[in-house]
Amino acid sequence: MRQGVALCRMKKKSISTKSTKHDRSNSLMGPVSMLFFAFMIVALIALRLYNHFAPEEKKQIATNQPATLEEFLNSVIPQNVNLDQLSQASLRTEAMMNKEIEFITRDSQTIHAKISKPEGVGPFATMILMHGGQSSQRSTDRMAEVLGEPLMQSTGMMTVTVDWRESTFGQEDLTDLLSTIDWVRGLQETASQPIILFGIEHGAYISLLATQEDVSIDGVIDAYGYINPAEEYRYLLTTDATSADNFLQQSGCHTAANQDACLHELSLQDVLHIDIPVLILHSEADTFVPIAQSEMLAAMMDAELLTFDRITDPVVGNGFLTTPSLAGFDAALEQINAWVAERQASIEFNVNQ
């Protein structure tokens, strides 16, 4: 089967990142753990030196010191403590509303995100939100406020809205999403908990692409997204030449000798295999991403895993999740909440809660 460039290009910069994450998760000690152990070793050596050089009348304070490092660690670390937890990052216990955070990506870049978290230490399932346009702090802020915070409050999940980098399709944008998943997996409050990806337009494309990587995802929400950039480009050529040109440049195919072939190789149709629940939200009146794109995805999926909210109201167009004032927003948010509630009620979603 032909491999899509969306996956091949990603391998140029992140083919080693799968093993990086695997190696990191299988490491016996994180940085914090190593510092802790180093401190323990220094302390043990100090005790031994003190016992050797101290005057006889003061040596009794160290007479009961452990003979080995293992005995020493057992004496200071409770038996039920998982040492891997020492290296996990931790959030504050209070509720967070659109708090800006930053973390390092798999390719050693710093990206920003907005987080909304319920009060407490969890465990929390997480929804990672990907906006539709190219890298934009404004788009991130708006999505975090309009969708991230309300969904946190209604579902009890932690939400993380990512300000992903502008890049050729399937490169840095995908790296940023995969790095966000890594970061969420490393939190004490979310470790081993379900993760749902929620993408709009190109954010949906990247979310679906991420499911083909070596990550464990429990569901995807696809809001008026596309899976075949070649078909989307041809459609835009018939409606808006400027939008078509911008789309071609964003895809990275504008410099290709064969632009059509380049776009076709970015298609997910031949490489996408979805075996997790998916919610599709798309309007028949969408004039930017035609509903045919979602129909292609729906045709590839097991009907038992698919919820397709096909919006027939002619006043609901593209971008209906941008702001609560738009027609279709409230109904879409209600559908998302209902779908998440079904996932939360399933055995799979609550496996680690």
Side-chain angles (χ1 to χ4, degrees):
M1 182 179 296
R2 176 179 57 83
Q3 296 295 319
V5 167
L7 294 178
C8 295
R9 287 180 172 175
M10 180 59 201
K11 291 177 182 177
K12 293 179 181 178
K13 292 195 174 184
S14 64
I15 191 169
S16 64
T17 59
K18 295 183 182 180
S19 59
T20 300
K21 179 183 176 184
H22 179 74
D23 294 342
R24 185 165 57 246
S25 63
N26 287 315
S27 175
L28 292 177
M29 296 183 294
V32 176
S33 301
M34 295 182 69
L35 288 173
F36 180 80
F37 272 81
F39 175 77
M40 293 297 101
I41 293 172
V42 171
L44 180 59
I45 294 173
L47 282 172
R48 287 187 175 277
L49 290 174
Y50 181 85
N51 190 45
H52 180 75
F53 292 108
E56 289 297 327
E57 64 273 15
K58 294 184 179 180
K59 283 186 179 182
Q60 63 268 23
I61 68 172
T63 55
N64 294 324
Q65 68 178 0
T68 66
L69 176 61
E70 181 178 2
E71 291 180 7
F72 181 66
L73 293 175
N74 288 336
S75 69
V76 297
I77 301 177
Q79 294 301 307
N80 62 348
V81 169
N82 182 350
L83 293 179
D84 285 339
Q85 293 178 350
L86 294 173
S87 63
Q88 290 179 321
S90 178
L91 301 173
R92 297 176 180 176
T93 59
E94 65 264 26
M96 295 181 179
M97 300 296 179
N98 290 330
K99 179 178 177 60
E100 184 167 347
I101 59 169
E102 62 179 36
F103 50 88
I104 304 300
T105 64
R106 292 179 171 191
D107 57 351
S108 301
Q109 301 299 309
T110 300
I111 61 170
H112 298 264
K114 287 293 188 74
I115 180 173
S116 289
K117 181 189 78 68
E119 184 177 6
V121 296
F124 300 116
T126 302
M127 184 182 295
I128 299 176
L129 287 73
M130 297 282 285
H131 61 77
Q134 291 285 308
S135 183
S136 168
Q137 182 67 50
R138 181 179 178 183
S139 297
T140 303
D141 292 346
R142 182 172 61 245
M143 190 174 190
E145 179 182 354
V146 170
L147 293 172
E149 184 176 335
L151 286 171
M152 180 277 288
Q153 294 174 333
S154 61
T155 66
M157 299 176 70
M158 186 176 80
T159 62
V160 182
T161 308
V162 187
D163 185 22
W164 49 272
R165 284 172 289 170
E166 182 173 348
S167 73
T168 298
F169 287 8
Q171 293 191 12
E172 284 86 356
D173 48 6
L174 179 58
T175 297
D176 291 346
L177 177 53
L178 296 176
S179 300
T180 305
I181 296 170
D182 292 344
W183 180 79
V184 169
R185 292 286 185 213
L187 293 174
Q188 293 183 18
E189 293 84 357
T190 59
S192 301
Q193 296 305 302
I195 292 178
I196 289 177
L197 305 181
F198 179 3
I200 290 177
E201 288 180 358
H202 184 68
Y205 173 88
I206 294 302
S207 296
L208 290 169
L209 185 56
T211 65
Q212 306 309 294
E213 296 294 315
D214 187 18
V215 294
S216 177
I217 299 301
D218 299 270
V220 174
I221 301 173
D222 178 323
Y224 38 94
Y226 49 79
I227 66 170
N228 189 324
E231 291 293 334
E232 172 66 6
Y233 175 64
R234 282 192 285 269
Y235 172 79
L236 290 175
L237 282 175
T238 66
T239 60
D240 186 344
T242 300
S243 294
D245 184 62
N246 290 337
F247 184 86
L248 184 65
Q249 291 192 44
Q250 292 167 0
S251 71
C253 292
H254 61 294
T255 58
N258 189 331
Q259 295 177 346
D260 187 67
C262 177
L263 286 168
H264 183 70
E265 289 178 342
L266 290 171
S267 172
L268 301 183
Q269 284 183 278
D270 293 337
V271 299
L272 195 60
H273 302 282
I274 299 290
D275 58 358
I276 56 176
V278 173
L279 169 62
I280 298 176
L281 301 159
H282 213 136
S283 171
E284 292 181 346
D286 195 326
T287 58
F288 185 77
V289 180
I291 197 170
Q293 290 281 341
S294 290
E295 291 172 339
M296 282 187 272
L297 173 60
M300 298 165 56
M301 289 200 56
D302 184 336
E304 294 184 357
L305 295 174
L306 175 65
T307 302
F308 192 167
D309 186 3
R310 187 187 186 103
I311 302 168
T312 59
D313 188 340
V315 302
V316 179
N318 176 266
F320 55 83
L321 284 170
T322 304
T323 176
S325 63
L326 291 177
F329 178 90
D330 291 337
L333 199 62
E334 183 178 343
Q335 174 67 278
I336 292 171
N337 280 313
W339 183 83
V340 170
E342 291 179 4
R343 306 286 76 72
Q344 290 174 326
S346 70
I347 296 175
E348 293 81 8
F349 195 86
N350 286 304
V351 65
N352 290 308
Q353 295 190 29

